Amino acid sequence: MSADHHAEHPTGISRWLFTTNHKDIGTLYLVFSFIMAIVGGVMSLVIRSELWQPGLQLVEPNFFNQMTTVHALVMIFGFAMPAFVGLANWMIPMMIGAPDMALPRMNNWSFWILPFAATLLILSLFMPGGGPAGGWTIYPPLSVQGGIGVDFTLLAIHMLGISSILGSINIIATVLNMRAPGMTLMKMPMFAWTWLITAFLLIAAMPVLAGAVTMLITDRHFGTHFFDAAGGGDPVLFQHVFWFFGHPEVYILVLPAFGVFSQIIPTFSRKPLFGYASMVYATASIAFLSFIVWAHHMYTVGMPMAGELFFMYSTMLIAVPTGVKIFNWVSTMWRGSMTFETPMLWALGGVFTFAVGGFSGLMLAITPADFQYQDTYFVVAHFHYVIFGATIYGLFAAIYYWLPKWTGHLYNETLGKWHFWLTTIGFNLTFFPQHFLGLAGMPRRIPDYALQFTEFNRWSTIGAFFTIISQLIFFYIAIRAMKGGAKATDQVWEGADGLEWTLSSPPPYHSFAVAPKVK
Amino acid sequence: MADAMHDGKRQQDVRTAANRRLALKLAAVTLAMFGFGYALSPMYDAMCKALGINGKTGRTDAQTVAAQPVDVTRTVTVEFTGLAISGLPWEFKPLVKKLELHPGETREVKYLVRNLAKEEITGQAIPSVTPGETAPHFKKIECFCFTRQTLKPGETREMPVRFVVDAGLDKGVQTITLSYSFFNIDKLSAQKYGGTSLAQAGEHADHDHVHPAPGG
Amino acid sequence: MFIKLIRRFPGIVSRLILGLGLWLSAPAVFADYALNFQKPVTPVAHRILELHNMILLICVIIFVLVFGVMFYSIFAHRKSRGYKPAKFHDNATLEVVWTVIPFLILVSMAIPSTATLLEMDDTSKSDLTIKITGYQWKWKYDYPDQDVSFFSTLATPRDQIENKAAKEQHYLLEVDNPIVIPVGKKVRFLVTANDVIHSWWVPQLGVKKDAIPGFINEFWTRADEAGTFRGQCAELCGKDHGFMPIVVNAVNPEDFTKWVAMQKDKAAAESASGAKTWSKDELLEKGKKAYAGTCAACHGVEGKGIPGVFPALDGSQIATGPVDEHIKTVLHGRATGKFGAQMPAFAAQLSDADAAAIITFERNALGNKTGDVVQPSQVKSLRK
């Protein structure tokens, strides 16, 4: 049966253009996201190079601003989100015992929007007047000042948004409708759970961003005054709408990674996940809370006292379910029988790194203290710890974990560990000193700085080059494993548990042609 | 075997239909959230008006004010300030910088405005009050900001604001500041006078407007 | 009642923590490796530092505890040591405990935070009002009751920014006209913006507030010691966001009164200077300075501009063409559409003498040799 299907699908370029297969599309997403990661990474090196020493040496301030803006947009919308949609495509059907995604044709569309959107975004840099230079938060009135490059960017954001909404609808439909008989919701693997919740976050948050972006476009070109004080609008309204999307967006980036940690830690602890139900509830509470904390990004705009207090309290509350998750992971490890293969290293490193970002997040929640932290390098350090810690560590953990399943080959374990340790050293060297820079008073998004910030900026720049160069190891490992290597067993890892490990390595083109029965 | 396959096929059709229905529902949710994004704008305005979140002041009429008691036991200082935003070549300032009043009492102050350009220009003043919580209690009966102001070249005008601070004002408030930002309402004109942002939407390299400089 | 209660909360514990924080930060103020906030000089800045240190301490303790357990487990419960896995995967009591305890810790953080926030918000009973207006890329300060008003721009020479000269101690944190406040007096700031959103931030004063066009915000501070306190714009506001510092001089009240008087004399002299006739050398000297502060950021120290973005003045039509056009461009701005940015109007910021000096300088330096001398009176006549 599976051999028949194999014969049907086309080969060559048209296989990839017209594919409706969840694995092919998953691969496309992952390849695309890594291309974007290289683009965004190069931009970060431009930023860090300019900041190597005080003074303007490499780039003009305006180009510097374009780099910080586009780096963020590329990394968030081009790298982190598509990478996890790719993982979802690959793994969710295999984990819940489905033959494919629920809506295969839509799956194809949602991917193929991305390259066009990304091209548009990158092209904006080459337009007269340059690309967007107002930060990824595109606050008006500053974002109203830019030229046609800003319109390119806004359109690109629309397209990226549509892509991820289509992807989310597909994931929800797959998880809700395609589960194997016997797999109740509360028996689902955590990765499927966190993605289900993430997908709901996406369809609730992304359209709000689309609304904000649309209003920005009409303000720029069609004479509306949503955010224009001259016409009775309010620039702060944009910030409210933006962060109503923007805060859930953070959880969109990290929740799937939490799911990955929850898959990997039990495997390598050889012990079931501790507190499965509380993990599900904690994830859902985080998702819910993410919609009522947005204005903690805007403590300094001059909100009334009641607002400042409400958002401070609600933000602090997020620490509770997040803490529950970390405690559960630690308890899963407790009295397990642990080994530390590369995926486990990335998962533990991810939990650790994310926790650092979580704690600085709690500090940022405290309104009076935030008046000092707001818009400084402390914030830059914080969100890199959160997003690098959860999203990128989670992504690498997932790739090393499932790569033998995908390719049928074991990767080079020693090199994998080198990749982990070098990245970890480089990352911390880059971002830990930025906490101090922020506390000492260095604002973010500046191309030049006062002399007392020189030393830590040097560390940070060295760390950035170190981190990015270390990623070459990963590309080498991944390509080697795709081409060949020792054969992987079906279960791959001794402690691995779940439907995906019952399939062959590599798995058949259509995952479960006959649905498995789950006890 | 054939039965199993047939069953499988039927089950797949049922599933496909269910998937479509769910996808449509989710698409509807998406659209609703898009609408919600837009609805945030009027909702925010309504909230601001009710709570004075962004310092937008209220409006009232003389009759309503006359019916209100004056609280002579309290004195509140009201300060006045103003800014002509770049792009509006006007001199703009309050003639009285501050005054003291009792809540409930109607007062009038004047702002001076002078058009420094050699052509007719129209501006719109946008009021803002701080502390923001006082905005719902700061009510204007008459204000030059209710309408656009058009000034002939070189024209000077004294413009009145008649207002009342109602007695519901929080007891802790001693000082209220009323600030106006005066904007050029015409984007091209604002550009010509060096306005860099707010009035700049249609900015593109293609429309060539090397206007004669003012006075030219 | 609630508010009164939490106002008193901090007490001895936070004093101790403050001590720790000062110990951490004090020696670091002048070192290159500053690890904590700059030295606070206002009551609110002190409270914020206390809060920051307290919360940091709590976070570090929890972090060490939780990850201590994790690392112990990593060390002890590993397969290579022959450890056999346990089977448990649930414990309701534990789940409740680690939900409730963090919650209580959070409440204990929220109380002093709320108290500090209420203190920051109370702008009443101020002794002095200063209005701040954010411009791309400078600050304007108005003292409405003293009738003092001036712009404050970056004073660091372009040579240092472009690495052509050695950088001095206060590189990028120095301005031509610092804002002056009296020590020990409660100063209330009003803040708004002319173009885009800016944010006025001086770390040592413990204040940061967004300047939003069309809207007015307020905050307060009270410097308890004399000194010079430096800050920067904190909200991305375009090209020169990194080049609009803030310098606050806190002086004793007598010196403040003297300073106000001096500012008034200066303003009077400035308006008188518009009436006198200047020599070419005087104008060139004044113009060179004023050009560096006002024009060089875009047009370049040498007047070369940035191709495609900012026009060169060297040999430009404006700077070598009719004098009146040149004056009008400086006063009222110009948009040609040929460049990414447009020339803003400087009428509000430059005195007649400054404008005359700049224009004379531009026409006789930067590679231009028109020989024209522009007098303040000529500028004045073109203002309207």
Side-chain angles (χ1 to χ4, degrees):
Chain A
M1 173 115 190
S2 76
D4 288 352
H5 277 271
H6 250 290
E8 280 169 27
H9 70 82
T11 48
I13 185 87
S14 59
R15 164 179 172 188
W16 300 105
L17 271 179
F18 304 116
T19 182
T20 56
N21 178 279
H22 74 100
K23 299 191 189 75
D24 284 353
I25 293 174
T27 306
L28 284 173
Y29 267 111
L30 286 168
V31 169
F32 169 82
S33 68
F34 276 99
I35 293 171
M36 295 312 282
I38 295 169
V39 173
V42 168
M43 288 177 184
S44 74
L45 293 184
V46 173
I47 296 167
R48 284 309 329 164
S49 303
E50 176 57 51
L51 293 174
W52 167 249
Q53 61 179 41
L56 292 177
Q57 35 279 332
L58 269 186
V59 295
E60 289 300 325
N62 209 37
F63 188 72
F64 182 89
N65 291 344
Q66 292 172 33
M67 284 292 107
T68 56
T69 305
V70 182
H71 161 76
L73 289 170
V74 162
M75 286 305 204
I76 293 169
F77 293 105
F79 169 49
M81 288 168 67
F84 273 93
V85 178
L87 280 182
N89 260 293
W90 251 105
M91 297 317 301
I92 287 179
M94 284 162 61
M95 291 175 117
I96 62 170
D100 204 307
M101 295 293 280
L103 305 153
R105 221 161 302 153
M106 195 168 91
N107 210 6
N108 176 292
W109 301 337
S110 63
F111 172 76
W112 280 108
I113 293 173
L114 287 178
F116 296 98
T119 311
L120 204 57
L121 180 58
I122 305 297
L123 265 184
S124 73
L125 290 171
F126 303 98
M127 291 294 115
W136 83 280
T137 50
I138 47 174
Y139 281 3
L142 187 59
S143 59
V144 176
Q145 281 188 344
I148 186 121
V150 175
D151 298 312
F152 274 46
T153 306
L154 295 178
L155 194 58
I157 292 175
H158 260 318
M159 291 164 68
L160 293 162
I162 290 170
S163 161
S164 58
I165 288 168
L166 293 179
S168 308
I169 289 179
N170 209 345
I171 288 167
I172 295 173
T174 307
V175 172
L176 292 185
N177 286 353
M178 306 284 284
R179 294 193 312 281
M183 180 173 277
T184 59
L185 280 176
M186 290 309 275
K187 278 186 189 163
M188 269 197 319
M190 272 310 290
F191 183 70
W193 252 119
T194 53
W195 242 119
L196 178 66
I197 291 169
T198 304
F200 274 110
L201 278 182
L202 267 163
I203 62 169
M206 285 309 281
V208 177
L209 175 68
V213 167
T214 310
M215 287 190 261
L216 208 51
I217 292 174
T218 60
D219 264 16
R220 279 170 59 83
H221 295 294
F222 304 108
T224 58
H225 301 283
F226 289 106
F227 311 126
D228 180 358
D234 185 345
V236 176
L237 167 65
F238 177 86
Q239 300 186 15
H240 281 291
V241 184
F242 181 87
W243 287 112
F244 187 86
F245 144 80
H247 201 77
E249 171 68 17
V250 176
Y251 295 100
I252 288 167
L253 295 174
V254 304
L255 288 183
F258 287 175
V260 169
F261 298 156
S262 301
Q263 298 298 134
I264 291 176
I265 292 175
T267 297
F268 295 94
S269 304
R270 291 167 182 76
K271 196 164 148 279
L273 181 68
F274 187 87
Y276 174 91
S278 75
M279 281 301 224
V280 173
Y281 300 139
T283 311
S285 338
I286 292 175
F288 168 76
L289 285 172
S290 75
F291 280 106
I292 56 164
V293 299
W294 75 88
H296 66 218
H297 296 265
M298 321 161 37
Y299 284 145
T300 59
V301 300
M303 262 188 289
M305 181 52 54
E308 306 248 354
L309 289 175
F310 172 79
F311 287 108
M312 173 166 79
Y313 299 150
S314 61
T315 305
M316 291 171 78
L317 221 47
I318 292 187
V320 175
T322 313
V324 167
K325 295 199 82 111
I326 292 180
F327 298 141
N328 279 332
W329 287 322
V330 174
S331 307
T332 305
M333 295 163 63
W334 187 255
R335 295 184 50 210
S337 175
M338 274 184 273
T339 51
F340 301 93
E341 287 87 345
T342 310
M344 182 66 161
L345 288 181
W346 282 105
L348 297 182
V351 172
F352 186 87
T353 314
F354 171 79
V356 174
F359 278 114
S360 59
L362 178 58
M363 296 170 74
L364 283 156
I366 308 292
T367 314
D370 181 77
F371 275 85
Q372 293 285 42
Y373 310 138
Q374 166 86 16
D375 274 319
T376 68
Y377 260 86
F378 190 79
V379 177
V380 177
H382 158 72
F383 67 70
H384 280 99
Y385 266 86
V386 169
I387 295 181
F388 206 113
T391 315
I392 296 185
Y393 275 74
L395 180 64
F396 281 131
I399 289 176
Y400 283 109
Y401 187 50
W402 286 310
L403 196 61
K405 171 59 61 187
W406 298 341
T407 62
H409 305 295
L410 297 174
Y411 58 86
N412 185 327
E413 192 63 50
T414 314
L415 279 179
K417 285 180 177 155
W418 272 98
H419 176 218
F420 167 77
W421 284 110
L422 292 180
T423 307
T424 300
I425 292 167
F427 166 78
N428 284 289
L429 189 60
T430 312
F431 292 106
F432 204 76
Q434 294 186 359
H435 289 114
F436 302 127
L437 285 174
L439 295 181
M442 179 165 165
R444 64 192 283 206
R445 293 166 166 170
I446 55 173
D448 191 6
Y449 50 83
L451 301 181
Q452 66 265 37
F453 304 129
T454 312
E455 303 301 326
F456 280 136
N457 269 299
R458 293 237 151 133
W459 289 26
S460 196
T461 301
I462 293 170
F465 276 90
F466 194 93
T467 311
I468 298 227
I469 291 168
S470 306
Q471 304 318 305
L472 294 176
I473 304 174
F474 168 74
F475 289 108
Y476 175 75
I477 295 172
I479 291 166
R480 273 260 316 255
M482 276 182 239
K483 292 204 159 150
K487 288 273 172 238
T489 60
D490 288 357
Q491 199 194 4
V492 184
W493 311 105
E494 187 190 28
D497 185 31
L499 288 178
E500 78 263 38
W501 308 110
T502 63
L503 291 169
S504 60
S505 302
Y509 196 62
H510 290 281
S511 302
F512 287 97
V514 176
K517 289 261 186 297
V518 179
K519 287 177 291 227
Chain B
M1 178 68 194
D3 266 4
M5 273 189 74
H6 185 71
D7 272 1
K9 174 104 176 62
R10 209 177 53 200
Q11 193 193 345
Q12 205 181 350
D13 288 346
V14 172
R15 246 185 197 174
T16 310
N19 289 340
R20 288 229 176 98
R21 271 199 309 278
L22 182 57
L24 283 177
K25 276 185 212 156
L26 293 170
V29 173
T30 307
L31 276 181
M33 286 311 291
F34 183 72
F36 174 75
Y38 263 92
L40 280 173
S41 173
M43 271 160 60
Y44 178 73
D45 269 355
M47 255 177 78
C48 292
K49 222 170 244 161
L51 307 171
I53 287 175
N54 60 0
K56 283 183 182 171
T57 53
R59 195 170 164 169
T60 187
D61 54 60
Q63 286 86 345
T64 322
V65 174
Q68 266 198 9
V70 176
D71 182 359
V72 287
T73 60
R74 289 168 66 198
T75 309
V76 177
T77 305
V78 181
E79 296 178 346
F80 304 93
T81 178
L83 172 70
I85 296 281
S86 293
L88 185 68
W90 289 6
E91 183 185 347
F92 174 57
K93 61 181 182 196
L95 288 173
V96 178
K97 281 182 183 155
K98 62 167 93 172
L99 55 77
E100 296 196 333
L101 53 70
H102 300 301
E105 179 182 10
T106 304
R107 297 292 288 267
E108 181 174 303
V109 292
K110 285 200 165 87
Y111 273 74
L112 177 106
V113 64
R114 180 184 310 152
N115 183 359
L116 304 176
K118 284 212 168 156
E119 60 181 345
E120 195 175 272
I121 290 180
T122 304
Q124 169 71 53
I126 302 292
S128 176
V129 159
T130 184
E133 300 90 288
T134 64
H137 304 290
F138 193 99
K139 300 213 166 110
K140 298 192 283 328
I141 300 157
E142 194 192 321
C143 176
F144 56 89
C145 59
F146 290 169
T147 55
R148 292 171 169 181
Q149 302 288 329
T150 302
L151 267 71
K152 295 194 174 59
E155 184 185 343
T156 303
R157 190 179 293 171
E158 285 184 10
M159 306 177 302
V161 189
R162 200 134 47 84
F163 66 95
V164 61
V165 176
D166 73 38
L169 185 76
D170 185 87
K171 296 270 184 289
V173 177
Q174 297 163 334
T175 310
I176 301 176
T177 307
L178 172 65
S179 163
Y180 286 99
S181 303
F182 231 128
F183 294 89
N184 191 334
I185 59 141
D186 181 66
K187 292 178 196 304
L188 290 183
S189 162
Q191 244 174 358
K192 176 170 150 188
Y193 293 103
T196 47
S197 71
L198 283 152
Q200 198 199 351
E203 183 247 9
H204 286 304
D206 52 341
H207 54 77
D208 179 28
H209 36 84
V210 189
H211 291 284
Chain C
M1 180 62 203
F2 166 68
I3 287 167
K4 262 187 196 153
L5 210 68
I6 52 184
R7 270 188 201 285
R8 291 200 197 109
F9 177 84
I12 301 164
V13 181
S14 50
R15 288 289 121 74
L16 282 174
I17 294 167
L18 173 67
L20 180 77
L22 285 176
W23 174 77
L24 262 176
S25 59
V29 170
F30 303 104
D32 285 335
Y33 292 104
L35 297 177
N36 209 340
F37 286 159
Q38 298 173 27
K39 184 169 158 280
V41 296
T42 68
V44 164
H46 270 97
R47 296 287 297 275
I48 294 176
L49 178 61
E50 282 170 32
L51 247 172
H52 161 77
N53 287 325
M54 177 186 88
I55 287 160
L56 180 61
L57 196 68
I58 296 175
C59 287
V60 168
I61 291 171
I62 299 175
F63 192 87
V64 168
L65 287 178
V66 173
F67 285 91
V69 172
M70 188 176 108
F71 281 112
Y72 173 77
S73 180
I74 287 176
F75 172 74
H77 307 147
R78 47 169 72 213
K79 197 185 172 200
S80 57
R81 292 166 59 107
Y83 200 88
K84 292 276 171 279
K87 289 282 166 234
F88 66 87
H89 58 83
D90 230 340
N91 186 327
T93 323
L94 261 182
E95 299 281 1
V96 171
V97 167
W98 64 44
T99 307
V100 172
I101 291 181
F103 183 79
L104 295 178
I105 296 174
L106 290 176
V107 171
S108 75
M109 290 176 171
I111 292 170
S113 309
T114 306
T116 309
L117 194 58
L118 290 170
E119 189 178 336
M120 291 171 90
D121 192 52
D122 179 14
T123 53
S124 64
K125 300 193 189 82
S126 62
D127 304 305
L128 173 69
T129 298
I130 301 175
K131 182 183 172 193
I132 302 168
T133 311
Y135 284 74
Q136 283 177 318
W137 294 277
K138 53 187 158 273
W139 298 99
K140 188 184 185 204
Y141 300 106
D142 291 288
Y143 294 64
D145 298 328
Q146 284 73 20
D147 262 325
V148 170
S149 171
F150 55 88
F151 278 91
S152 180
T153 53
L154 178 72
T156 302
R158 288 304 294 183
D159 286 5
Q160 290 186 24
I161 295 171
E162 287 163 12
N163 300 317
K164 289 175 192 144
K167 296 176 173 53
E168 285 164 64
Q169 192 196 351
H170 296 300
Y171 176 71
L172 289 193
L173 297 178
E174 48 198 345
V175 298
D176 52 359
N177 301 308
I179 169 177
V180 177
I181 59 170
V183 168
K185 299 276 189 219
K186 183 165 184 175
V187 184
R188 175 170 157 270
F189 290 94
L190 298 168
V191 56
T192 185
N194 172 67
D195 31 47
V196 301
I197 302 175
H198 303 268
S199 191
W200 200 83
W201 179 36
V202 179
Q204 289 187 270
L205 299 181
V207 292
K208 182 185 284 154
K209 200 70 149 190
D210 290 359
I212 301 168
F215 294 86
I216 191 141
N217 267 330
E218 64 179 356
F219 62 91
W220 70 275
T221 195
R222 193 189 75 215
D224 283 338
E225 53 187 274
T228 303
F229 312 118
R230 296 167 200 275
Q232 283 177 272
C233 176
E235 179 65 56
L236 178 61
C237 56
K239 178 176 81 73
D240 281 346
H241 163 56
F243 304 91
M244 50 184 291
I246 297 152
V247 179
V248 178
N249 279 338
V251 299
N252 64 49
E254 301 82 70
D255 287 344
F256 177 75
T257 316
K258 276 184 218 154
W259 175 81
V260 169
M262 219 173 72
Q263 289 304 108
K264 286 189 169 163
D265 289 349
K266 216 167 105 184
E270 195 64 48
S271 71
S273 73
K276 87 167 196 183
T277 302
W278 294 57
S279 78
K280 187 173 175 183
D281 288 343
E282 281 174 327
L283 285 167
L284 284 176
E285 196 198 326
K286 187 179 175 67
K288 188 173 184 187
K289 252 200 222 147
Y291 177 86
T294 311
C295 321
C298 295
H299 294 298
V301 183
E302 326 250 308
K304 303 283 185 222
I306 296 169
V309 186
F310 300 110
L313 297 180
D314 184 352
S316 88
Q317 274 182 17
I318 303 276
T320 56
V323 176
D324 280 5
E325 276 308 306
H326 191 174
I327 298 174
K328 282 185 239 162
T329 305
V330 171
L331 288 180
H332 306 299
R334 175 174 293 261
T336 61
K338 273 186 274 181
F339 293 95
Q342 55 187 336
M343 173 84 180
F346 285 94
Q349 292 142 49
L350 295 176
S351 68
D352 293 339
D354 278 333
I358 285 173
I359 293 161
T360 306
F361 174 77
E362 287 174 350
R363 300 181 79 81
N364 295 288
L366 311 175
N368 298 328
K369 294 185 186 66
T370 61
D372 298 326
V373 175
V374 178
Q375 291 297 340
S377 54
Q378 195 177 351
V379 174
K380 193 175 169 129
S381 71
L382 288 169
R383 271 195 187 260
K384 291 172 194 169

